[in-house]
Amino acid sequence: MLKRRSIRTRLTLWYTGLLTLTLLLLGSVTYGLMVKSLAQDIDTALEKIAGVLSQQARREAEALFPTAIDELFQRFFGVSPLDRYFEMRDPRGRRDPRLQRRSTRSLPLSPEAQANAARGLPTWETVEGLGDFPVRLFTQPVLQSGRLVNLIQVGFSLQSFCETRRHFLRILALVFPIALILAGGGGWLLAHRALSPVAQMTRAAQRISAARLNERLDESGTGDELDQLAHTLNAMLSRLDDAFRQIRQFSADASHELQTPLTILKGELEVALHTPRSADAYQQTMRSALEEIDRIAVLVDGLMLLARADAGVLRMDQQPVELHQLVQEVYDQTQILAAHQQVSLQLDAIEPIAIQGDPERLRRVLLNLTNNAIKYTPSGGRVTLSLQRCCDRAALRVTDTGIGLSPEEQEQVFHRFYRSDNARVYDVEGSGLGLCIARSIADAHGGTIELDSIPGVGSTFTVWLPLP
Ligand code: ADP
C-alpha cells in the first residue's frame, strides 16, 4: 500500500527541492559568467600583446625578441613568461628564421588562421598538445599599405584558467551538499514548528467526544490561520453542543410527556382488572383509557411531524386553499370552546384570499392558535380572527385580550415542550408542542409566524403566507 507522506515531509521535500533547483541555477550561472569573463580577459590581453608586437615588428623586428615579449606578457597577464608562446611568420606561413634561432617553442598555424590572415582578419583558437594544458592562440596579420607582410601569433597556456575553473567546481561540490543538508534540516524544523499547533489540535479534537462536547480547543489569540481554524472549530463545537443538548432535552421531555398518559392508562386498567365492577363502570374505564390513548396518539403524531420537519422531509399538499373559508370553519369549530370559557369570539376584516398549500395542515395551525387564544384568555375577554392581504402575502391574525407573554417567554414559546409558568398556574391543558408544529407548517409553506404580546393585555399571533 502506498504510504501517505505527512505534510511536514512534503513541505521539507518541496523546500529542499526548490532550494536544489535554485542552487543549481545559481551555480551554473555563476560558473558560466566566471568562465566567460576569464576567457574574455585572456583574449583581450592576447589581442593587446599582438597589437603592440605588430607595431614593433613593422619598425624593428630585432627589438622584439625575446625579452620584450616576456615583458609584454608580464605586463598584461602578470604571470611567468614560461606560460607564453610567440611566433612570427612570413605571409606564406614560414617561421621567421630569427626566431628559429632564439625561440624554442613552435606554434601551429591552422589553414583557417592562414586563410583569415590572407584576408587581413585575426583568428582565435584553442589548441591542444603543446603542453599539459590547452593553449589559447591568437593569430594577427601585419599589414603594410594593405599588403600582408607578417603573421604574428601569440599564445597563452590555459593552465591557470583550467585550475581556477576546477577550483570553483570543487568549492561548489563541497558547498552544495552542505547547503542542502542545512536547508533540509532547517525546512524540517520549520515545518515541525509551524505544524505543531495542528498536532496539538488533532490530539485535543480526538479527546472530544459526544459526551465531552463542552471541551474546547486552545486558541492562541494570534489571529493567524491556525488560530482562525481553532476558533471556527470551537464555534462548530458550540453549535454541536447546543444541538446535542436540545436533542437530550427533547428526548427527556418527550418521554416524560408520554409517560404521564401511559401511567394513568396502566393505573386505570389495573384497578379495573383487580376489582370486579358493573358493565357501566367498565365502559367508563374504557372511555377514559381511550381518552389517554388519543392523547398519546396526538403527541406521537406531533413528534413525528417535527421529526420529519427536522429531517427536511415534511411533505405538504399543494392544492388551492380558500383561506377565508378556513377561517370561517375554525371560527365555527371553536365557538363551543369560546362559549364554555365565556370568551367572545369574533371575525374581523376577512378578505377572500386563496393560496396553494395543504388545507389540513393550515387548519391545524389556525385551530391551534385560536384554541390557545381562547385557553389563555380569562372569561369576559375577546378573541378576534382576521385575514388580510399585505403586499404579496396573506396575514392571518389571531388576537386575544388574554394573559399575554413577557419578552423572555416570547422567545421561548416556539421551542418544543415549552409551557409558560402562567399556563401551568392557570392549569390549562397542553403539551407545549402546538406552536412549534405551527411554525414548522408555516415554514413548509414558505411563510412565518410572528408574535406581538404584552403581559396582562393580550397577544397577536400573525401567520404570514406567500400569495401565489
Ligand atoms: P400548549 O398550548 O399545548 O401548551 P403551545 O405550543 O401551543 O403548547 O404553546 C406553548 C406555550 O405558549 C403555552 O404553554 C403558553 O404558555 C404560551 N401561549 C401560547 N399561546 C398563548 C396566548 N395566546 N397567550 C398567552 N400564552 C400563550
Side-chain angles (χ1 to χ4, degrees):
M1 201 177 69
L2 196 72
K3 192 167 178 283
R4 298 194 73 184
R5 289 200 189 100
S6 69
I7 293 185
R8 193 193 308 175
T9 318
R10 271 184 285 161
L11 272 180
T12 313
L13 285 177
W14 269 104
Y15 184 67
T16 318
L18 283 177
L19 198 89
T20 312
L21 269 180
T22 316
L23 280 180
L24 276 176
L25 202 75
L26 203 74
S28 14
V29 168
T30 317
Y31 176 77
L33 286 176
M34 185 203 74
V35 166
K36 198 170 167 218
S37 141
L38 280 178
Q40 245 168 14
D41 286 352
I42 292 172
D43 283 359
T44 315
L46 284 176
E47 198 179 357
K48 280 185 182 155
I49 293 169
V52 175
L53 287 175
S54 61
Q55 294 277 325
Q56 290 188 359
R58 274 188 218 116
R59 290 202 303 270
E60 189 191 356
E62 282 296 320
L64 294 175
F65 322 111
T67 41
I69 293 159
D70 291 342
E71 267 169 32
L72 276 176
F73 270 88
Q74 197 87 45
R75 174 143 52 103
F76 285 106
F77 284 109
V79 290
S80 141
L82 282 176
D83 275 345
R84 58 100 176 123
Y85 295 85
F86 172 71
E87 193 76 83
M88 183 144 154
R89 296 173 188 272
D90 66 11
R92 297 175 66 185
R94 284 179 306 226
R95 295 188 78 199
D96 191 300
R98 289 162 300 182
L99 277 177
Q100 278 174 353
R101 268 179 278 126
R102 295 186 180 182
S103 161
T104 47
R105 301 193 208 180
S106 158
L107 285 171
L109 177 66
S110 68
E112 191 198 347
Q114 200 168 1
N116 280 346
R119 284 184 280 137
L121 299 172
T123 308
W124 275 275
E125 292 160 292
T126 304
V127 292
E128 309 260 356
L130 284 176
D132 293 340
F133 294 91
V135 169
R136 187 68 175 161
L137 183 59
F138 179 62
T139 310
Q140 159 96 51
V142 182
L143 303 172
Q144 259 175 10
S145 325
R147 202 170 51 87
L148 179 68
V149 287
N150 280 119
L151 283 170
I152 287 182
Q153 288 186 293
V154 279
F156 184 75
S157 162
L158 291 177
Q159 179 176 1
S160 62
F161 171 80
C162 290
E163 276 167 1
T164 311
R165 204 167 56 175
R166 204 179 307 142
H167 192 57
F168 184 82
L169 283 177
R170 222 177 284 143
I171 291 174
L172 270 192
L174 191 76
V175 168
F176 198 77
I178 293 177
L180 277 191
I181 290 170
L182 283 178
W188 177 264
L189 280 179
L190 269 181
H192 175 75
R193 233 181 107 91
L195 292 172
S196 68
V198 176
Q200 216 177 325
M201 240 187 259
T202 310
R203 283 194 295 276
Q206 276 163 351
R207 274 201 315 272
I208 299 173
S209 61
R212 299 168 72 176
L213 276 177
N214 55 341
E215 285 195 21
R216 294 288 174 272
L217 304 175
D218 287 341
E219 289 181 35
S220 62
T222 51
D224 60 12
E225 288 86 344
L226 291 176
D227 190 42
Q228 280 176 26
L229 178 65
H231 186 70
T232 311
L233 287 176
N234 279 341
M236 190 185 77
L237 281 173
S238 296
R239 289 196 298 276
L240 276 178
D241 196 12
D242 283 351
F244 267 74
R245 204 170 302 143
Q246 273 175 22
I247 290 171
R248 276 196 293 268
Q249 183 66 43
F250 178 64
S251 314
D253 290 343
S255 353
H256 175 76
E257 289 297 326
L258 284 170
Q259 204 177 18
T260 313
L262 276 174
T263 313
I264 298 172
L265 188 61
K266 187 167 178 264
E268 283 176 349
L269 291 179
E270 274 173 356
V271 172
L273 259 183
H274 289 124
T275 42
R277 38 178 72 188
S278 65
D280 274 357
Y282 275 126
Q283 266 192 1
Q284 180 56 37
T285 307
M286 293 290 196
R287 264 194 296 276
S288 170
L290 267 180
E291 260 173 38
E292 292 309 324
I293 288 173
D294 278 348
R295 201 168 296 163
I296 293 171
V298 168
L299 202 63
V300 170
D301 180 60
L303 287 175
M304 278 177 55
L305 186 139
L306 288 176
R308 279 202 289 271
D310 282 348
V313 292
L314 186 57
R315 295 264 166 274
M316 293 287 144
D317 269 359
Q318 283 297 320
Q319 36 174 295
V321 184
E322 314 253 294
L323 286 179
H324 47 282
Q325 216 169 317
L326 202 75
V327 176
Q328 184 66 49
E329 283 166 20
V330 170
Y331 171 78
D332 295 340
Q333 213 174 329
T334 47
Q335 276 290 1
I336 301 171
L337 179 67
H340 182 258
Q341 294 279 114
Q342 292 169 353
V343 168
S344 146
L345 185 61
Q346 300 175 356
L347 287 179
D348 175 41
I350 304 292
E351 287 182 37
I353 298 175
I355 63 158
Q356 285 291 113
D358 189 322
E360 279 322 305
R361 294 263 162 78
L362 288 172
R363 181 197 306 280
R364 186 171 181 168
V365 173
L366 192 56
L367 204 57
N368 179 264
L369 296 181
T370 316
N371 275 336
N372 275 353
I374 298 170
K375 280 194 297 185
Y376 299 109
T377 301
S379 55
R382 192 176 61 246
V383 172
T384 314
L385 307 183
S386 76
L387 175 63
Q388 280 166 318
R389 191 186 295 267
C390 293
C391 303
D392 54 350
R393 293 189 297 172
L396 199 56
R397 282 200 182 81
V398 181
T399 308
D400 65 56
T401 57
I403 58 174
L405 290 154
S406 66
E408 300 79 56
E409 288 173 327
Q410 288 176 36
E411 276 185 18
Q412 309 264 15
V413 283
F414 291 99
H415 291 173
R416 287 161 196 197
F417 297 112
Y418 175 79
R419 306 201 65 217
S420 74
D421 292 340
N422 269 340
R424 293 175 209 276
V425 170
Y426 279 68
D427 198 20
V428 181
E429 251 196 36
S431 63
L433 280 185
L435 285 179
C436 184
I437 291 172
R439 183 143 83 173
S440 294
I441 294 174
D443 279 353
H445 280 85
T448 51
I449 299 189
E450 222 172 69
L451 164 61
D452 290 305
S453 185
I454 301 172
V457 176
S459 317
T460 299
F461 284 86
T462 310
V463 185
W464 292 101
L465 293 168
L467 294 174

